[in-house]
Amino acid sequence: MDDESAIRQLVADRVSAMRTGDAEAICGSYAPDAVVFNLAPPLVQPPEDSRDVAQLRAWFEDKGGSVWSEVRDLKVTVDGDLALCTSLERMGTEPGSPQPFSLWLRSTLGLRRLDGGWRIVHEHRSTPFHMDGSLRAATDLEP
């Protein structure tokens, strides 16, 4: 499998893991020293949080066991042992879940080839916000 195909498979595997609530698979996609700028506070996640299976399992349980995920417009650029992915991602829960939600977000992944496989070393996810003075997250946008 070529590098771009392997990276696209890693992204697809993460989508599947979100849909099944597989915290181990998601946490295993990060390098030990990954830098993560996630949607939830704080501004920068501590590196160990991206690999904390128990914390992610608890988040899934709060959402009913899993979170629906979809990736669109995935662009992959590979240069040697480094790669960059940009995409739009939708995540949400089923309407009857304990905490229903649905939103589109922007995602950037930086990957490095480590021990013969690709691992996420940098992740940045964001939602736009309304510039009308309210500063509300624009979670109602769709591509």
Side-chain angles (χ1 to χ4, degrees):
M1 181 180 301
D2 68 16
D3 290 331
E4 181 174 343
S5 296
I7 291 166
R8 286 181 179 278
Q9 187 62 56
L10 180 144
V11 171
D13 290 346
R14 284 171 42 99
V15 167
S16 294
M18 289 285 284
R19 291 179 178 179
T20 61
D22 187 347
E24 291 85 359
I26 294 168
C27 291
S29 66
Y30 292 97
D33 59 348
V35 175
V36 177
F37 302 117
N38 219 331
L39 296 175
L43 288 173
V44 180
Q45 303 298 124
E48 60 276 6
D49 280 8
S50 65
R51 298 179 58 88
D52 187 335
V53 173
Q55 181 180 16
L56 186 54
R57 270 194 202 128
W59 184 77
F60 279 135
E61 287 306 313
D62 283 348
K63 307 298 181 259
S66 64
V67 173
W68 196 84
S69 181
E70 171 187 355
V71 172
R72 298 183 41 157
D73 305 330
L74 177 62
K75 293 180 180 50
V76 178
T77 303
V78 180
D79 188 357
D81 289 338
L82 295 174
L84 182 67
C85 298
T86 59
S87 65
L88 296 176
E89 184 176 339
R90 181 177 171 219
M91 78 166 59
T93 58
E94 297 300 325
S97 72
Q99 296 180 2
F101 74 97
S102 177
L103 68 121
W104 283 94
L105 58 109
R106 303 171 290 203
S107 177
T108 302
L109 300 175
L111 299 101
R112 181 180 304 134
R113 188 189 331 265
L114 298 170
D115 300 323
W118 290 97
R119 295 289 171 259
I120 298 167
V121 295
H122 179 91
E123 178 179 50
H124 189 129
R125 296 168 128 191
S126 66
T127 58
F129 66 92
H130 293 284
M131 304 287 287
D132 60 2
S134 71
L135 301 180
R136 290 179 307 110
T139 59
D140 58 341
L141 297 177
E142 294 186 20

PDB file of all heavy atoms in Angstrom, residues 44-72:
ATOM      1  N   VAL A  44      -4.712  23.700  24.512  1.00  0.00           N
ATOM      2  CA  VAL A  44      -3.858  22.613  24.037  1.00  0.00           C
ATOM      3  C   VAL A  44      -4.081  21.420  24.961  1.00  0.00           C
ATOM      4  O   VAL A  44      -3.989  21.558  26.180  1.00  0.00           O
ATOM      5  CB  VAL A  44      -2.364  22.998  24.076  1.00  0.00           C
ATOM      6  CG1 VAL A  44      -1.492  21.851  23.579  1.00  0.00           C
ATOM      7  CG2 VAL A  44      -2.100  24.255  23.287  1.00  0.00           C
ATOM      8  N   GLN A  45      -4.406  20.267  24.366  1.00  0.00           N
ATOM      9  CA  GLN A  45      -4.585  19.061  25.172  1.00  0.00           C
ATOM     10  C   GLN A  45      -3.210  18.572  25.626  1.00  0.00           C
ATOM     11  O   GLN A  45      -2.272  18.553  24.813  1.00  0.00           O
ATOM     12  CB  GLN A  45      -5.248  17.953  24.354  1.00  0.00           C
ATOM     13  CG  GLN A  45      -6.580  18.312  23.762  1.00  0.00           C
ATOM     14  CD  GLN A  45      -7.637  18.633  24.791  1.00  0.00           C
ATOM     15  OE1 GLN A  45      -8.209  19.694  24.751  1.00  0.00           O
ATOM     16  NE2 GLN A  45      -7.899  17.740  25.687  1.00  0.00           N
ATOM     17  N   PRO A  46      -3.071  18.146  26.866  1.00  0.00           N
ATOM     18  CA  PRO A  46      -1.800  17.519  27.265  1.00  0.00           C
ATOM     19  C   PRO A  46      -1.561  16.271  26.409  1.00  0.00           C
ATOM     20  O   PRO A  46      -2.516  15.561  26.078  1.00  0.00           O
ATOM     21  CB  PRO A  46      -2.044  17.132  28.731  1.00  0.00           C
ATOM     22  CG  PRO A  46      -3.183  18.000  29.181  1.00  0.00           C
ATOM     23  CD  PRO A  46      -4.024  18.242  27.964  1.00  0.00           C
ATOM     24  N   PRO A  47      -0.314  15.995  26.009  1.00  0.00           N
ATOM     25  CA  PRO A  47      -0.041  14.866  25.117  1.00  0.00           C
ATOM     26  C   PRO A  47      -0.631  13.540  25.606  1.00  0.00           C
ATOM     27  O   PRO A  47      -1.132  12.755  24.812  1.00  0.00           O
ATOM     28  CB  PRO A  47       1.483  14.799  25.054  1.00  0.00           C
ATOM     29  CG  PRO A  47       1.930  16.178  25.371  1.00  0.00           C
ATOM     30  CD  PRO A  47       0.912  16.731  26.336  1.00  0.00           C
ATOM     31  N   GLU A  48      -0.619  13.313  26.894  1.00  0.00           N
ATOM     32  CA  GLU A  48      -1.138  12.041  27.404  1.00  0.00           C
ATOM     33  C   GLU A  48      -2.658  11.919  27.249  1.00  0.00           C
ATOM     34  O   GLU A  48      -3.202  10.823  27.180  1.00  0.00           O
ATOM     35  CB  GLU A  48      -0.741  11.820  28.871  1.00  0.00           C
ATOM     36  CG  GLU A  48      -1.231  12.855  29.834  1.00  0.00           C
ATOM     37  CD  GLU A  48      -0.370  14.122  29.955  1.00  0.00           C
ATOM     38  OE1 GLU A  48       0.604  14.272  29.183  1.00  0.00           O
ATOM     39  OE2 GLU A  48      -0.682  14.957  30.811  1.00  0.00           O
ATOM     40  N   ASP A  49      -3.381  13.045  27.135  1.00  0.00           N
ATOM     41  CA  ASP A  49      -4.840  12.995  26.976  1.00  0.00           C
ATOM     42  C   ASP A  49      -5.255  12.376  25.641  1.00  0.00           C
ATOM     43  O   ASP A  49      -6.275  11.703  25.567  1.00  0.00           O
ATOM     44  CB  ASP A  49      -5.459  14.386  27.094  1.00  0.00           C
ATOM     45  CG  ASP A  49      -5.609  14.845  28.533  1.00  0.00           C
ATOM     46  OD1 ASP A  49      -5.091  14.157  29.439  1.00  0.00           O
ATOM     47  OD2 ASP A  49      -6.235  15.897  28.740  1.00  0.00           O
ATOM     48  N   SER A  50      -4.473  12.590  24.585  1.00  0.00           N
ATOM     49  CA  SER A  50      -4.843  12.040  23.284  1.00  0.00           C
ATOM     50  C   SER A  50      -4.733  10.523  23.270  1.00  0.00           C
ATOM     51  O   SER A  50      -5.315   9.869  22.409  1.00  0.00           O
ATOM     52  CB  SER A  50      -3.978  12.642  22.170  1.00  0.00           C
ATOM     53  OG  SER A  50      -2.630  12.274  22.331  1.00  0.00           O
ATOM     54  N   ARG A  51      -4.022   9.951  24.223  1.00  0.00           N
ATOM     55  CA  ARG A  51      -3.845   8.500  24.293  1.00  0.00           C
ATOM     56  C   ARG A  51      -4.534   7.902  25.523  1.00  0.00           C
ATOM     57  O   ARG A  51      -4.289   6.755  25.878  1.00  0.00           O
ATOM     58  CB  ARG A  51      -2.360   8.169  24.278  1.00  0.00           C
ATOM     59  CG  ARG A  51      -1.685   8.643  22.981  1.00  0.00           C
ATOM     60  CD  ARG A  51      -0.213   8.361  22.938  1.00  0.00           C
ATOM     61  NE  ARG A  51       0.107   6.964  23.084  1.00  0.00           N
ATOM     62  CZ  ARG A  51       0.192   6.076  22.098  1.00  0.00           C
ATOM     63  NH1 ARG A  51      -0.047   6.458  20.861  1.00  0.00           N
ATOM     64  NH2 ARG A  51       0.507   4.827  22.320  1.00  0.00           N
ATOM     65  N   ASP A  52      -5.399   8.687  26.181  1.00  0.00           N
ATOM     66  CA  ASP A  52      -6.085   8.235  27.401  1.00  0.00           C
ATOM     67  C   ASP A  52      -7.364   7.483  27.023  1.00  0.00           C
ATOM     68  O   ASP A  52      -8.423   8.077  26.808  1.00  0.00           O
ATOM     69  CB  ASP A  52      -6.398   9.437  28.284  1.00  0.00           C
ATOM     70  CG  ASP A  52      -6.942   9.067  29.640  1.00  0.00           C
ATOM     71  OD1 ASP A  52      -7.526   7.966  29.783  1.00  0.00           O
ATOM     72  OD2 ASP A  52      -6.803   9.877  30.569  1.00  0.00           O
ATOM     73  N   VAL A  53      -7.259   6.161  26.962  1.00  0.00           N
ATOM     74  CA  VAL A  53      -8.378   5.317  26.538  1.00  0.00           C
ATOM     75  C   VAL A  53      -9.564   5.463  27.490  1.00  0.00           C
ATOM     76  O   VAL A  53     -10.718   5.586  27.057  1.00  0.00           O
ATOM     77  CB  VAL A  53      -7.926   3.845  26.426  1.00  0.00           C
ATOM     78  CG1 VAL A  53      -9.110   2.923  26.159  1.00  0.00           C
ATOM     79  CG2 VAL A  53      -6.874   3.703  25.328  1.00  0.00           C
ATOM     80  N   ALA A  54      -9.310   5.474  28.794  1.00  0.00           N
ATOM     81  CA  ALA A  54     -10.404   5.569  29.776  1.00  0.00           C
ATOM     82  C   ALA A  54     -11.171   6.880  29.623  1.00  0.00           C
ATOM     83  O   ALA A  54     -12.410   6.902  29.685  1.00  0.00           O
ATOM     84  CB  ALA A  54      -9.856   5.428  31.197  1.00  0.00           C
ATOM     85  N   GLN A  55     -10.464   7.969  29.395  1.00  0.00           N
ATOM     86  CA  GLN A  55     -11.110   9.279  29.227  1.00  0.00           C
ATOM     87  C   GLN A  55     -11.985   9.283  27.966  1.00  0.00           C
ATOM     88  O   GLN A  55     -13.110   9.772  27.993  1.00  0.00           O
ATOM     89  CB  GLN A  55     -10.044  10.367  29.149  1.00  0.00           C
ATOM     90  CG  GLN A  55     -10.594  11.760  28.995  1.00  0.00           C
ATOM     91  CD  GLN A  55      -9.483  12.805  28.930  1.00  0.00           C
ATOM     92  OE1 GLN A  55      -8.314  12.498  28.711  1.00  0.00           O
ATOM     93  NE2 GLN A  55      -9.853  14.051  29.132  1.00  0.00           N
ATOM     94  N   LEU A  56     -11.489   8.718  26.878  1.00  0.00           N
ATOM     95  CA  LEU A  56     -12.267   8.684  25.643  1.00  0.00           C
ATOM     96  C   LEU A  56     -13.461   7.739  25.781  1.00  0.00           C
ATOM     97  O   LEU A  56     -14.552   8.047  25.308  1.00  0.00           O
ATOM     98  CB  LEU A  56     -11.394   8.287  24.453  1.00  0.00           C
ATOM     99  CG  LEU A  56     -12.063   8.344  23.083  1.00  0.00           C
ATOM    100  CD1 LEU A  56     -12.687   9.718  22.806  1.00  0.00           C
ATOM    101  CD2 LEU A  56     -11.058   7.988  21.992  1.00  0.00           C
ATOM    102  N   ARG A  57     -13.269   6.616  26.457  1.00  0.00           N
ATOM    103  CA  ARG A  57     -14.405   5.708  26.704  1.00  0.00           C
ATOM    104  C   ARG A  57     -15.507   6.423  27.476  1.00  0.00           C
ATOM    105  O   ARG A  57     -16.689   6.269  27.165  1.00  0.00           O
ATOM    106  CB  ARG A  57     -13.939   4.503  27.516  1.00  0.00           C
ATOM    107  CG  ARG A  57     -13.479   3.368  26.700  1.00  0.00           C
ATOM    108  CD  ARG A  57     -13.374   2.120  27.576  1.00  0.00           C
ATOM    109  NE  ARG A  57     -12.472   1.189  26.962  1.00  0.00           N
ATOM    110  CZ  ARG A  57     -11.450   0.627  27.547  1.00  0.00           C
ATOM    111  NH1 ARG A  57     -11.182   0.863  28.806  1.00  0.00           N
ATOM    112  NH2 ARG A  57     -10.690  -0.204  26.889  1.00  0.00           N
ATOM    113  N   ALA A  58     -15.123   7.190  28.497  1.00  0.00           N
ATOM    114  CA  ALA A  58     -16.109   7.928  29.294  1.00  0.00           C
ATOM    115  C   ALA A  58     -16.852   8.944  28.429  1.00  0.00           C
ATOM    116  O   ALA A  58     -18.064   9.123  28.570  1.00  0.00           O
ATOM    117  CB  ALA A  58     -15.423   8.620  30.472  1.00  0.00           C
ATOM    118  N   TRP A  59     -16.147   9.608  27.512  1.00  0.00           N
ATOM    119  CA  TRP A  59     -16.787  10.567  26.617  1.00  0.00           C
ATOM    120  C   TRP A  59     -17.796   9.856  25.723  1.00  0.00           C
ATOM    121  O   TRP A  59     -18.911  10.322  25.547  1.00  0.00           O
ATOM    122  CB  TRP A  59     -15.724  11.294  25.780  1.00  0.00           C
ATOM    123  CG  TRP A  59     -16.271  12.373  24.905  1.00  0.00           C
ATOM    124  CD1 TRP A  59     -16.669  13.627  25.277  1.00  0.00           C
ATOM    125  CD2 TRP A  59     -16.485  12.302  23.493  1.00  0.00           C
ATOM    126  NE1 TRP A  59     -17.111  14.333  24.191  1.00  0.00           N
ATOM    127  CE2 TRP A  59     -17.003  13.552  23.073  1.00  0.00           C
ATOM    128  CE3 TRP A  59     -16.276  11.315  22.538  1.00  0.00           C
ATOM    129  CZ2 TRP A  59     -17.315  13.833  21.748  1.00  0.00           C
ATOM    130  CZ3 TRP A  59     -16.583  11.597  21.210  1.00  0.00           C
ATOM    131  CH2 TRP A  59     -17.105  12.843  20.833  1.00  0.00           C
ATOM    132  N   PHE A  60     -17.403   8.707  25.167  1.00  0.00           N
ATOM    133  CA  PHE A  60     -18.332   7.927  24.349  1.00  0.00           C
ATOM    134  C   PHE A  60     -19.562   7.529  25.163  1.00  0.00           C
ATOM    135  O   PHE A  60     -20.690   7.611  24.684  1.00  0.00           O
ATOM    136  CB  PHE A  60     -17.666   6.666  23.792  1.00  0.00           C
ATOM    137  CG  PHE A  60     -16.820   6.894  22.567  1.00  0.00           C
ATOM    138  CD1 PHE A  60     -15.562   6.321  22.464  1.00  0.00           C
ATOM    139  CD2 PHE A  60     -17.275   7.658  21.510  1.00  0.00           C
ATOM    140  CE1 PHE A  60     -14.784   6.508  21.340  1.00  0.00           C
ATOM    141  CE2 PHE A  60     -16.502   7.854  20.373  1.00  0.00           C
ATOM    142  CZ  PHE A  60     -15.252   7.276  20.289  1.00  0.00           C
ATOM    143  N   GLU A  61     -19.368   7.090  26.389  1.00  0.00           N
ATOM    144  CA  GLU A  61     -20.502   6.682  27.231  1.00  0.00           C
ATOM    145  C   GLU A  61     -21.453   7.851  27.471  1.00  0.00           C
ATOM    146  O   GLU A  61     -22.669   7.679  27.461  1.00  0.00           O
ATOM    147  CB  GLU A  61     -20.010   6.094  28.545  1.00  0.00           C
ATOM    148  CG  GLU A  61     -19.410   4.716  28.389  1.00  0.00           C
ATOM    149  CD  GLU A  61     -20.348   3.725  27.696  1.00  0.00           C
ATOM    150  OE1 GLU A  61     -21.538   3.653  28.066  1.00  0.00           O
ATOM    151  OE2 GLU A  61     -19.884   3.026  26.770  1.00  0.00           O
ATOM    152  N   ASP A  62     -20.902   9.043  27.682  1.00  0.00           N
ATOM    153  CA  ASP A  62     -21.744  10.234  27.849  1.00  0.00           C
ATOM    154  C   ASP A  62     -22.593  10.509  26.606  1.00  0.00           C
ATOM    155  O   ASP A  62     -23.645  11.133  26.697  1.00  0.00           O
ATOM    156  CB  ASP A  62     -20.887  11.483  28.126  1.00  0.00           C
ATOM    157  CG  ASP A  62     -20.375  11.546  29.544  1.00  0.00           C
ATOM    158  OD1 ASP A  62     -20.846  10.772  30.402  1.00  0.00           O
ATOM    159  OD2 ASP A  62     -19.472  12.373  29.797  1.00  0.00           O
ATOM    160  N   LYS A  63     -22.105  10.060  25.460  1.00  0.00           N
ATOM    161  CA  LYS A  63     -22.800  10.307  24.190  1.00  0.00           C
ATOM    162  C   LYS A  63     -23.641   9.115  23.753  1.00  0.00           C
ATOM    163  O   LYS A  63     -24.147   9.088  22.641  1.00  0.00           O
ATOM    164  CB  LYS A  63     -21.796  10.634  23.080  1.00  0.00           C
ATOM    165  CG  LYS A  63     -20.835  11.761  23.405  1.00  0.00           C
ATOM    166  CD  LYS A  63     -21.567  13.069  23.626  1.00  0.00           C
ATOM    167  CE  LYS A  63     -20.618  14.194  23.930  1.00  0.00           C
ATOM    168  NZ  LYS A  63     -20.507  14.547  25.314  1.00  0.00           N
ATOM    169  N   GLY A  64     -23.770   8.084  24.587  1.00  0.00           N
ATOM    170  CA  GLY A  64     -24.571   6.925  24.238  1.00  0.00           C
ATOM    171  C   GLY A  64     -23.765   5.751  23.710  1.00  0.00           C
ATOM    172  O   GLY A  64     -24.322   4.798  23.190  1.00  0.00           O
ATOM    173  N   GLY A  65     -22.447   5.798  23.789  1.00  0.00           N
ATOM    174  CA  GLY A  65     -21.604   4.672  23.402  1.00  0.00           C
ATOM    175  C   GLY A  65     -20.748   4.886  22.174  1.00  0.00           C
ATOM    176  O   GLY A  65     -19.733   4.225  21.996  1.00  0.00           O
ATOM    177  N   SER A  66     -21.160   5.787  21.300  1.00  0.00           N
ATOM    178  CA  SER A  66     -20.367   6.063  20.102  1.00  0.00           C
ATOM    179  C   SER A  66     -20.779   7.422  19.554  1.00  0.00           C
ATOM    180  O   SER A  66     -21.745   8.018  20.008  1.00  0.00           O
ATOM    181  CB  SER A  66     -20.580   4.980  19.042  1.00  0.00           C
ATOM    182  OG  SER A  66     -21.920   4.990  18.600  1.00  0.00           O
ATOM    183  N   VAL A  67     -20.039   7.889  18.572  1.00  0.00           N
ATOM    184  CA  VAL A  67     -20.311   9.169  17.928  1.00  0.00           C
ATOM    185  C   VAL A  67     -20.234   8.957  16.427  1.00  0.00           C
ATOM    186  O   VAL A  67     -19.274   8.362  15.922  1.00  0.00           O
ATOM    187  CB  VAL A  67     -19.306  10.254  18.378  1.00  0.00           C
ATOM    188  CG1 VAL A  67     -19.479  11.530  17.589  1.00  0.00           C
ATOM    189  CG2 VAL A  67     -19.449  10.521  19.863  1.00  0.00           C
ATOM    190  N   TRP A  68     -21.260   9.416  15.737  1.00  0.00           N
ATOM    191  CA  TRP A  68     -21.283   9.290  14.290  1.00  0.00           C
ATOM    192  C   TRP A  68     -20.239  10.213  13.692  1.00  0.00           C
ATOM    193  O   TRP A  68     -20.038  11.337  14.159  1.00  0.00           O
ATOM    194  CB  TRP A  68     -22.680   9.647  13.787  1.00  0.00           C
ATOM    195  CG  TRP A  68     -22.907   9.186  12.410  1.00  0.00           C
ATOM    196  CD1 TRP A  68     -23.300   7.939  12.025  1.00  0.00           C
ATOM    197  CD2 TRP A  68     -22.744   9.945  11.223  1.00  0.00           C
ATOM    198  NE1 TRP A  68     -23.398   7.877  10.668  1.00  0.00           N
ATOM    199  CE2 TRP A  68     -23.057   9.110  10.142  1.00  0.00           C
ATOM    200  CE3 TRP A  68     -22.362  11.243  10.958  1.00  0.00           C
ATOM    201  CZ2 TRP A  68     -22.993   9.528   8.831  1.00  0.00           C
ATOM    202  CZ3 TRP A  68     -22.301  11.666   9.652  1.00  0.00           C
ATOM    203  CH2 TRP A  68     -22.619  10.807   8.605  1.00  0.00           C
ATOM    204  N   SER A  69     -19.553   9.769  12.666  1.00  0.00           N
ATOM    205  CA  SER A  69     -18.487  10.564  12.062  1.00  0.00           C
ATOM    206  C   SER A  69     -18.492  10.388  10.552  1.00  0.00           C
ATOM    207  O   SER A  69     -18.822   9.315  10.047  1.00  0.00           O
ATOM    208  CB  SER A  69     -17.139  10.127  12.638  1.00  0.00           C
ATOM    209  OG  SER A  69     -16.086  10.883  12.105  1.00  0.00           O
ATOM    210  N   GLU A  70     -18.126  11.454   9.866  1.00  0.00           N
ATOM    211  CA  GLU A  70     -18.010  11.449   8.402  1.00  0.00           C
ATOM    212  C   GLU A  70     -16.894  12.412   8.029  1.00  0.00           C
ATOM    213  O   GLU A  70     -16.779  13.491   8.613  1.00  0.00           O
ATOM    214  CB  GLU A  70     -19.330  11.924   7.788  1.00  0.00           C
ATOM    215  CG  GLU A  70     -19.297  12.163   6.309  1.00  0.00           C
ATOM    216  CD  GLU A  70     -20.577  12.798   5.769  1.00  0.00           C
ATOM    217  OE1 GLU A  70     -21.562  12.983   6.521  1.00  0.00           O
ATOM    218  OE2 GLU A  70     -20.580  13.139   4.572  1.00  0.00           O
ATOM    219  N   VAL A  71     -16.053  12.023   7.095  1.00  0.00           N
ATOM    220  CA  VAL A  71     -14.978  12.886   6.604  1.00  0.00           C
ATOM    221  C   VAL A  71     -15.229  13.162   5.134  1.00  0.00           C
ATOM    222  O   VAL A  71     -15.497  12.243   4.361  1.00  0.00           O
ATOM    223  CB  VAL A  71     -13.598  12.234   6.806  1.00  0.00           C
ATOM    224  CG1 VAL A  71     -12.507  13.039   6.111  1.00  0.00           C
ATOM    225  CG2 VAL A  71     -13.284  12.101   8.290  1.00  0.00           C
ATOM    226  N   ARG A  72     -15.151  14.429   4.756  1.00  0.00           N
ATOM    227  CA  ARG A  72     -15.315  14.845   3.352  1.00  0.00           C
ATOM    228  C   ARG A  72     -14.135  15.693   2.912  1.00  0.00           C
ATOM    229  O   ARG A  72     -13.490  16.322   3.726  1.00  0.00           O
ATOM    230  CB  ARG A  72     -16.500  15.771   3.149  1.00  0.00           C
ATOM    231  CG  ARG A  72     -17.799  15.365   3.413  1.00  0.00           C
ATOM    232  CD  ARG A  72     -18.816  16.430   3.077  1.00  0.00           C
ATOM    233  NE  ARG A  72     -18.610  17.187   1.859  1.00  0.00           N
ATOM    234  CZ  ARG A  72     -19.575  17.809   1.222  1.00  0.00           C
ATOM    235  NH1 ARG A  72     -20.793  17.764   1.677  1.00  0.00           N
ATOM    236  NH2 ARG A  72     -19.327  18.498   0.142  1.00  0.00           N
TER     237      ARG A  72
END
